[in-house]
Amino acid sequence: MAARKKKAKASKKAVKRTKARKAPAKKTRKTRSKAARGARPAKKSKASKKAAARKPAKKAPARKKKQTVGEGDYEASRTFLKDQSDFVKENKARIPELGRDARAALEGSEGPALLAAEAEARSHSKSEERPE
């Protein structure tokens, strides 16, 4: 019987020890900072004054951005779209007149030269379709 009591006491102590180990640490409340309490700011040391007097370190030279050319040239695309919209804003009233002038030039004496220039430009293009 005494052996049972000793085992029971030993197991109770083991349970208490494991609970004590697993218990989370109590969190302390943070007190107000020194500045909030009205403390004086820290004095600057001589070393910090010397550091402030030094010239700043040289920065590494800026790397040039790789320019993407071709279908991925986003800057050229933005420039083209901006120029196109600016042209339309400036010449909104004149656009029908410009179209009529272009048709007259194609049908007139300049027509063959303009068509030859268009064919030359189209030969450098990847697609052979002509938008109308």
Side-chain angles (χ1 to χ4, degrees), residues 33-121:
S33 66
K34 287 182 180 179
R37 284 184 268 160
R40 292 183 192 164
K43 291 183 180 178
K44 290 185 179 179
S45 66
K46 291 180 183 179
S48 65
K49 288 180 183 177
K50 286 181 183 178
R54 281 191 226 150
K55 291 181 181 177
K58 290 183 179 179
K59 292 182 180 179
R63 293 183 183 179
K64 289 184 180 178
K65 289 184 179 179
K66 249 185 181 177
Q67 185 177 5
T68 309
V69 180
E71 292 182 27
D73 192 355
Y74 300 118
E75 189 170 336
S77 176
R78 279 192 295 269
T79 304
F80 174 77
L81 292 173
K82 184 182 178 297
D83 291 346
Q84 206 174 24
S85 64
D86 289 347
F87 177 83
V88 170
K89 284 178 187 174
E90 292 171 9
N91 300 304
K92 196 166 193 160
R94 289 187 50 217
I95 289 176
E97 177 188 341
L98 293 171
R100 284 190 293 274
D101 292 345
R103 177 173 282 153
L106 281 172
E107 292 171 355
S109 61
E110 295 177 60
L114 291 172
L115 291 173
E118 182 184 9
E120 172 68 23

Side-chain angles (χ1 to χ4, degrees), residues 6 10 105:
K6 283 184 180 179

